Structure formats: structure tokens, C-alpha cells
Amino acid sequence: MLHLNIKDETSRLKAVLLGTAESCGPVPKPEEAYDPKSLEHILAGTYPKEVDMIQEMDAFSKVLQKHGVEVFRPEVLPDCNQIFSRDIAFVIENKLIKANILPDREKEFEAILHVLEYIAPEHILNAPEEVHVEGGDVMPWNEYIFIGTYTAKDYPDRITARTNKQAVDFISEQFPDKKIKSFELRKSTNARENALHLDCCFQPVGRNKAILHKNGFLVEEEYQWLVDFFGKENIFEITADEMYQMFSNVFSISPEVVVSEQHFTRLNNWLRAQGFTVEEVPYAEIAKQEGLLRCSTLPLVRE
């Protein structure tokens, strides 16, 4: 059995579901793109090749295994992009919550049923239909749960808006002992301004540090709350271009070990200066789909 346990973003990782790039299908048509960054690369003819993405995910998997993490993979579905396992479900404490994602991605959840067999059924929650939520917007952090959302009236018209007000309410009801802190994110069809998920503009690292991008937040007070919470001296503020490259979407194996993209020189130097061990992997091709290391993982058990 798997005893789910996720209370934060950085405690030592014991078990994780890592997505797969195998059989991810042909290059999507422009009208099939889920996000502005993928669309940009489809139109430019620079959309990533399956063989390159498989190599990148293998490199990530090897780093996880090197650190003693049990790595599960989804069943490979033909011609289906299954890289971003963070979107389909997420764990808070000992509960796995099935995300209500874009309807044509439903089969991605079915491809992880062999992993769910190790989890007691009463620990798997299905959100009601009106609850829209993706794991990239949900971050347990000790007594808090941070949630990225978008509550403006044009929510239904924005394909980049993934987590709604009903999701914030649902998570509050399921975890009454937690303090829920939600953040309005900037949604845009311009890939350089769009914060697709909370982890595209913010992520805690270590025990008390964070990576942050001010312009990802619609409400300055909410951004400022995070600055005050972590302390200015503990924050690595990224530029608009670094947000576009997904600098905040690294992944913590433990409070001391962070997996990062090999080209994130400025961030990786800062992390090392703070005393972190930085495991660098190539992930620039996968990044073209507006997702990176955190997006491709579904942590199941941390210490």
C-alpha cells in the first residue's frame, strides 16, 4: 500500500508519479493548443520532438532514482500527451484529489489507475463537476494551502484559466484545519505575460525560501503577502523572460536538493549560494509546452 503524505513542497520525497513523453502524438494543430506558449512553437515550427522529450524525462527519472525515490509512470496511451501528470491529480496530506481538467484529457487519469490501486479508496477524492482545478495551482505549505485562481467574469472564455472559485471553496471544505490562501493570477494569450498556474510564477524551495515573479499576480497585495511571508532576503525574484522560460517550475527532492533546468544559470547559481545541491537536467524542449519539472510530477509520499 502507498500511505499518501504530502504536507509541503520540499520534504524528502519517497514516491512520485512522473509523466511520460512516449507516444505523445503528432504536432497539434494551432487550434488544438491548450496554452499560448505551445501555440507559439507550433506556428514557428519549433514544437518539441518526442525523441528529445523522452530523453529529457529519462534524465529527470534517473536523478529521482539516484536519490532513492520510487518512481511510478503512467500507462502509455497511443498518441496522447501524458507529460504533465501534475494536472490530473494532486495529493494534500493523505488524500489524492482527482482534478477536473480540460475534458479531452480525462483519459490521462485512467492511465494512472494501476498506481491508484495502491491507495485506499477512501483516500481518493473526486471533485464535483463545477470544481475546476489543476495541480499546478495547488501548493500545500505546512499549515497553509496556497491556491492560484482566476475569478473574473471572463473565466469561461479563457482556456488559460484552470482553477476557479469553487475549487478554492472545495479544498477549504476538505481541509478545515488548513489556512487557505488564494492568489489571482494574470491570464493572457501572450505567452510572456501568462501565468498558466501558480507554479509558473511562484514556488517555495528549502524550508523558508521562494522563487517569485511579481507580474504573474493580478493583485499587488497578494504578491506582497508572499514577500512578507518568506522575507525579501529569502526570495529569488525572476524576470518576465525567466518566467517565460519557467524558472519557478523547478522541483524539490528534499529541503536540500533541487532539480533545475541546466540553462537556468542565474537561478542555479543563487540556489548553490544558498547551500542547495542543484541537480541540473536538460528540459528546454518540454518547456516549450508551458510546463517544466514540477508540472511533470505528481508527488505521492514525502517524509
Side-chain angles (χ1 to χ4, degrees), residues 116-167:
L116 304 188
E117 285 171 4
Y118 296 103
I119 300 167
E122 64 270 22
H123 289 173
I124 299 174
L125 303 178
N126 289 309
E129 204 174 316
E130 69 277 6
V131 169
H132 298 178
V133 60
E134 291 186 359
D137 276 326
V138 182
M139 289 187 190
W141 190 248
N142 307 314
E143 72 269 34
Y144 284 92
I145 301 173
F146 300 141
I147 305 176
T149 185
Y150 185 75
T151 59
K153 286 193 177 62
D154 64 347
Y155 177 94
D157 307 323
R158 288 192 177 263
I159 194 167
T160 54
R162 300 297 172 80
T163 297
N164 62 6
K165 170 83 171 67
Q166 288 90 328

Side-chain angles (χ1 to χ4, degrees), residues 17 91 153 157 164 174 186 192 195 202 216 245 287 296 303:
L17 175 81
V91 176
K153 286 193 177 62
D157 307 323
N164 62 6
Q174 297 300 323
R186 188 176 305 282
R192 292 182 178 274
F202 159 67
Q245 292 179 52
S296 19
E303 263 178 12

Side-chain angles (χ1 to χ4, degrees), residues 16-296:
V16 68
L17 175 81
L18 176 66
T20 178
E22 285 182 50
S23 188
C24 58
V27 175
K29 297 184 185 75
E31 61 273 16
E32 294 170 338
Y34 293 133
D35 65 86
K37 195 169 180 185
S38 292
L39 177 61
E40 211 173 80
H41 287 286
I42 292 165
L43 296 174
T46 51
Y47 195 77
K49 295 181 175 66
E50 182 180 304
V51 57
D52 296 331
M53 295 193 290
I54 289 173
Q55 282 180 335
E56 289 183 344
M57 297 202 84
D58 284 350
F60 188 11
S61 180
K62 285 192 177 85
V63 168
L64 291 164
Q65 288 165 335
K66 177 179 114 176
H67 287 274
V69 178
E70 185 175 6
V71 180
F72 295 94
R73 305 300 288 267
E75 182 189 322
V76 177
L77 302 172
D79 290 344
C80 178
N81 186 332
Q82 296 173 269
I83 293 169
F84 299 124
S85 54
R86 181 75 63 159
D87 293 348
I88 55 178
F90 53 90
V91 176
I92 300 174
E93 297 203 322
N94 64 351
K95 300 279 189 287
L96 181 135
I97 298 162
K98 177 182 184 282
N100 283 343
I101 50 172
L102 301 165
D104 39 0
R105 296 184 59 187
E106 188 65 32
K107 57 185 184 291
E108 286 180 60
F109 187 79
E110 289 162 20
I112 65 166
L113 293 179
H114 63 287
V115 180
L116 304 188
E117 285 171 4
Y118 296 103
I119 300 167
E122 64 270 22
H123 289 173
I124 299 174
L125 303 178
N126 289 309
E129 204 174 316
E130 69 277 6
V131 169
H132 298 178
V133 60
E134 291 186 359
D137 276 326
V138 182
M139 289 187 190
W141 190 248
N142 307 314
E143 72 269 34
Y144 284 92
I145 301 173
F146 300 141
I147 305 176
T149 185
Y150 185 75
T151 59
K153 286 193 177 62
D154 64 347
Y155 177 94
D157 307 323
R158 288 192 177 263
I159 194 167
T160 54
R162 300 297 172 80
T163 297
N164 62 6
K165 170 83 171 67
Q166 288 90 328
V168 178
D169 297 341
F170 173 73
I171 291 171
S172 305
E173 286 158 20
Q174 297 300 323
F175 301 95
D177 300 342
K178 296 284 186 187
K179 299 175 188 165
I180 308 295
K181 186 78 186 156
S182 65
F183 303 90
E184 293 283 333
L185 301 180
R186 188 176 305 282
K187 303 297 178 179
S188 173
T189 50
N190 175 347
R192 292 182 178 274
E193 292 185 358
N194 181 47
L196 189 66
H197 291 127
L198 182 59
D199 62 16
C200 296
C201 56
F202 159 67
Q203 192 179 175
V205 285
R207 291 191 171 86
N208 63 343
K209 295 179 172 40
I211 303 164
L212 200 53
H213 178 61
K214 184 176 185 178
N215 198 46
F217 296 84
L218 276 179
V219 182
E220 186 160 346
E221 290 77 13
E222 292 177 358
Y223 160 82
Q224 194 55 48
W225 187 91
L226 284 170
V227 174
D228 297 340
F229 180 81
F230 286 93
K232 204 165 174 48
E233 69 285 358
N234 291 319
I235 284 172
F236 184 83
E237 180 76 38
I238 57 179
T239 65
D241 186 60
E242 288 169 341
M243 177 174 103
Y244 173 74
Q245 292 179 52
M246 311 289 299
F247 268 51
S248 61
N249 208 274
V250 295
F251 183 68
S252 292
I253 292 179
S254 75
E256 297 78 35
V257 181
V258 178
V259 189
S260 180
E261 214 287 326
Q262 61 188 9
H263 294 106
F264 291 177
T265 311
R266 194 174 83 88
L267 171 65
N268 297 345
N269 288 344
W270 178 81
L271 287 167
R272 289 191 179 100
Q274 305 295 317
F276 291 96
T277 298
V278 181
E279 291 279 11
E280 295 190 3
V281 293
Y283 233 64
E285 292 304 304
I286 286 171
K288 291 175 178 179
Q289 300 182 52
E290 208 156 342
L292 207 80
L293 296 152
R294 186 181 187 270
C295 293
S296 19

